[in-house]
Amino acid sequence: MSPRLASARLSWDVPAPEFTGVLRTDAALLTAYVKAGEHHLGLLPPRPHRAGDQQPGAEHILALTRAARRAFITLHTNEIYDQLTEVRTRYLRVDALLAAAAESFPGLVPDQAQVVAEAAQIQAHKDGREVDQAMFCGAVLRSATAGTHLIEAMLLPTAGACDLLEEFRRVGRIALSTVVVERKSQAAYVTFRNAHCLNAEDNRLIADLETAVDLVLLDDQVRVGVLRGGEVDHRRYAGRRVFSAGINLKDLRNGDISFVDFLLGRELGYIHKMARGLLVNPAEAAWVDRCTSKPWVGAVESFAIGGGMQLLLVLDRVIAESEAFFSLPAAEEGIVPGLGNLRLTRMVGTRLARQIILQGRTIHAKDPEASLICDEIVPAAGMESAIDRAVQELSAPAVAANRSMLFLAEEPLDLYRTYLAEFAIAQASRAYSSDVLDKVERRWQQSQNRN
């Protein structure tokens, strides 16, 4: 490549358009501006093959177009959302909302071709298109009207669960790729079986868990849900139950952890459904009439790390094996521990929450502080009977209504919504930060060397 051509490819430095406040006019301005930026970006090699000033040049183009998108969204969030949802009469999940936005407002968020191209790359080789998705989602969630409607859309039963519901009601058992959900008397047991990776969370597990949670909440024969880790294959824990190892860092390194399906989807999806309930009657005025909610028990064996520990913060009863431990290694991993920052403080207090999140402190079941996280600590042999007792106690008719009111008091919807608006952007940005990319690459290289 000649120096002159290389310089031409890096010279795009066009100021953002001056938006007028009229949606149609501003949408055309944004589309033209982003199209020009993408043209110049396309003249450069893919990220892993950029040399010299090419990567800084690409980042400059991406920053300019991102700033234009941000200005456009700031002006028109509610108008955009109303157009995409027919004034909030259509309920679109995050993935469908982003697809509709890409089609109706070209350049606002990555289109399907860009999403597919990025998904094929390892994390370090991506240009971070998901940050633009996060910026749009954050703006929607920041709006009380649009954000609340999006949250409601994500609380509706999934199509997959609706398809399986009749079979589950009839048979009482559904086996998904990474989860088994089984009804036993008045309880439904949701068991993680991502055995090859210590029940770590990945895109598939998140999707399966939402289906399973929906089935538990939709089945009238079920009064209580139980979360438990299945047996794993890891040589250190072979044959033992493990609750969860949190996010699958290998998948994060390989670019297989999706912002839409995982980083934001788990918080708006199955975890929020466990906490607030499944939206089954959207037209009703009161939340108690709109949602079906049930108490949840968590049975923690071996450990609950990262996302596994985050799950405990929305459960109504946590039973831990006496040798188990808990941790939120956010500072080490470099990402935000979901809604742990919002929920852990009210459970354990500000000082201990900071020790766990900022300093990486591990809490063992035998530590005095474990009583702030667990309701009961039992030997391994006593886990089954402890679960049975918890199910019996939580199956009383008034429990579901009271736990819903407790959660409403602890985490009002607007608090949850405003936290998520900032979390969406922070988490997507951290997933592409150099320190995170370096850490997951080092861990991946170490695992390759061991193998």
Side-chain angles (χ1 to χ4, degrees), residues 130-147:
E130 291 178 317
V131 176
D132 295 301
Q133 293 180 323
M135 188 167 61
F136 176 70
C137 292
V140 169
L141 288 163
R142 206 171 291 117
S143 163
T145 52

Side-chain angles (χ1 to χ4, degrees), residues 30-94:
L30 178 70
T31 298
Y33 184 75
V34 171
K35 183 177 180 180
E38 291 290 342
H39 170 74
H40 282 78
L41 186 63
L43 296 175
L44 296 171
R47 179 165 183 163
H49 303 297
R50 293 171 190 158
D53 291 339
Q54 290 178 338
Q55 181 54 32
E59 291 174 357
H60 182 65
I61 295 170
L62 289 165
L64 288 173
T65 54
R66 188 161 294 151
R69 292 185 183 102
R70 184 182 298 111
F72 175 75
I73 296 169
T74 300
L75 280 174
H76 299 293
T77 300
N78 287 332
E79 291 177 275
I80 295 168
Y81 190 84
D82 281 354
Q83 180 171 321
L84 298 177
T85 61
E86 298 175 11
V87 194
R88 302 183 303 283
T89 59
R90 295 175 63 207
Y91 288 90
L92 300 179
R93 288 177 63 88
V94 171

Side-chain angles (χ1 to χ4, degrees), residues 363-375:
I363 304 297
H364 295 267
K366 293 180 179 178
D367 294 341
E369 294 86 349
S371 64
L372 300 172
I373 300 168
C374 309
D375 298 281

Side-chain angles (χ1 to χ4, degrees), residues 20 36 100 200-201 208 250 276 292 299 323 397 399:
T20 65
E201 293 181 306
D208 286 348
K250 178 181 178 182
R276 201 173 297 274
T292 178
E323 300 302 318
V399 169

Side-chain angles (χ1 to χ4, degrees), residues 186-187 222-224 295 388-400:
Q186 57 194 344
V222 174
R223 301 290 290 273
V224 180
D388 290 342
R389 287 195 306 273
V391 167
Q392 185 63 36
E393 292 168 5
L394 291 175
S395 62
V399 169

Side-chain angles (χ1 to χ4, degrees), residues 12 16 79 98 148 167 200 205 234 244 257 262-263 272 275 280 294 323 339 346 349 402:
W12 196 75
E79 291 177 275
L98 287 166
T148 300
E167 179 182 353
L205 180 61
H234 190 280
S244 175
I257 295 295
F262 188 116
L263 298 179
H272 196 216
V280 291
K294 296 175 183 177
E323 300 302 318
L339 271 73
R346 69 171 181 253
N402 278 288

Side-chain angles (χ1 to χ4, degrees), residues 119-130:
Q121 304 295 319
I122 68 170
Q123 195 77 357
H125 291 175
K126 298 181 181 183
D127 277 323
R129 303 284 185 178
E130 291 178 317

